[in-house]
């Protein structure tokens, strides 16, 4: 279906009183409309504004603490800053189970099975651009990029290991550090800042 056909259908759903719509996921190409690369960007921005207004009227309880998410300081359900690459991405919601989390519970840091304290309850995968809770997807955080701190979900094969210490790094940090590799096997290697 064309984006021009989908948007009016979604609009009619959210305008209906009592609708139970809990999640919308737009593909990257549709979200790129807002950046002015395609016609119709103003209609999409207006839709995101209406969508956020509908959600503000609902009393949505956080999955963990049961507090009303709208009363906890969350002012939007879908990123609405049109200059950001995350425009049109629904947050506070896990893309796997569609459970909702307040900002405090979403950013709560958990301890993984190795005792590392680096996993958020609800984290954003920098590769597929989806939010997942810790119950639905295993998330790994880039450990070597200075100021990077990107998370990547278990479905995205975007994490690489440092050739020296096996610390995980996202594909972006790996590309920045990648060496020429061995001429025999032609495998590229990369080292974290500590192993260089």
């Amino acid at each position: 279906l064309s984006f021009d056909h989908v948007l009016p259908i979604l609009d009619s759903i959210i305008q209906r009183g009592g609708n139970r719509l809990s999640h919308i996921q737009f593909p990257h190409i549709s979200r790129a409309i807002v950046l002015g690369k395609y016609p119709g960007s103003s209609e999409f921005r207006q839709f995101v504004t209406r969508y956020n207004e509908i959600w503000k009227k609902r009393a949505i309880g956080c999955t963990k603490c049961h507090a009303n998410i709208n009363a906890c300081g969350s002012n939007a359900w879908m990123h609405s800053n049109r200059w950001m690459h995350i425009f049109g991405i629904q947050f506070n919601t896990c893309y796997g189970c569609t459970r909702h989390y307040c900002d405090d519970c979403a950013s709560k840091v958990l301890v993984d099975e190795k005792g590392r304290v680096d996993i958020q309850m609800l984290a954003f995968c920098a590769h597929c651009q989806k939010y997942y809770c810790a119950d639905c997807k295993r998330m790994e955080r880039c450990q070597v990029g200075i100021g990077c701190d990107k998370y990547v979900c278990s479905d995205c094969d975007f994490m690489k290991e440092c050739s020296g210490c096996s610390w995980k790094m996202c594909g972006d940090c790996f590309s920045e550090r990648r060496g020429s590799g061995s001429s025999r096997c032609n495998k590229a290697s990369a080292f974290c800042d500590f192993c260089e």
Side-chain angles (χ1 to χ4, degrees):
L1 282 175
S2 161
F3 186 69
D4 295 333
H5 294 104
V6 171
L7 204 54
I9 294 168
L10 290 173
D11 236 342
S12 70
I13 292 170
I14 67 168
Q15 298 289 332
R16 233 179 324 176
N19 77 71
R20 298 185 56 137
L21 183 66
S22 63
H23 181 74
I24 295 178
Q25 179 179 337
F26 292 108
H28 182 71
I29 189 72
S30 297
R31 292 186 295 106
I33 289 171
V34 236
L35 303 176
K37 296 178 181 174
Y38 301 97
S41 62
S42 64
E43 290 86 3
F44 191 20
R45 287 193 304 270
Q46 291 168 7
F47 172 79
V48 169
T49 301
R50 287 189 299 274
Y51 185 73
N52 283 331
E53 289 301 318
I54 298 293
W55 276 89
K56 285 179 192 177
K57 295 175 185 174
R58 294 180 176 180
I60 306 292
C62 173
T63 299
K64 290 293 178 190
C65 71
H66 307 291
N68 181 345
I69 295 174
N70 290 323
C72 294
S74 295
N75 58 0
W77 283 82
M78 188 171 283
H79 290 285
S80 57
N81 183 337
R82 68 187 181 125
W83 303 114
M84 297 180 70
H85 69 282
I86 54 175
F87 179 92
I89 294 176
Q90 185 166 332
F91 59 112
N92 291 78
T93 306
C94 173
Y95 277 45
C97 62
T98 66
R99 289 182 292 191
H100 307 295
Y101 296 88
C102 68
D103 291 341
D104 289 339
C105 291
S107 60
K108 183 178 179 183
V109 178
L110 306 172
V111 178
D112 71 2
E113 67 276 358
K114 294 179 182 176
R116 295 178 300 194
V117 186
D118 65 351
I119 299 167
Q120 289 180 294
M121 185 63 222
L122 187 69
F124 181 71
C125 176
H127 190 65
C128 66
Q129 299 187 332
K130 298 175 184 174
Y131 282 92
Y132 288 110
C133 72
D135 295 333
C136 285
K137 296 274 185 216
R138 170 83 179 113
M139 300 291 273
E140 292 191 86
R141 184 173 58 102
C142 181
Q143 299 170 317
V144 300
I146 297 171
C148 177
D149 288 334
K150 290 178 185 169
Y151 283 88
V152 177
C153 73
S154 56
D155 285 350
C156 294
D157 188 24
F158 196 62
M159 292 300 254
K160 309 293 181 195
E161 286 187 358
C162 168
S163 299
C165 66
S166 299
W167 271 21
K168 299 285 186 178
M169 66 182 99
C170 70
D172 294 334
C173 290
F174 180 82
S175 295
E176 289 175 12
R177 293 171 167 75
R178 196 159 102 178
S180 60
S182 164
S183 59
R184 179 180 288 184
C185 66
N186 203 24
K187 286 187 179 177
S189 60
F191 297 92
C192 70
D193 295 336
F194 298 106
C195 296
E196 280 186 318

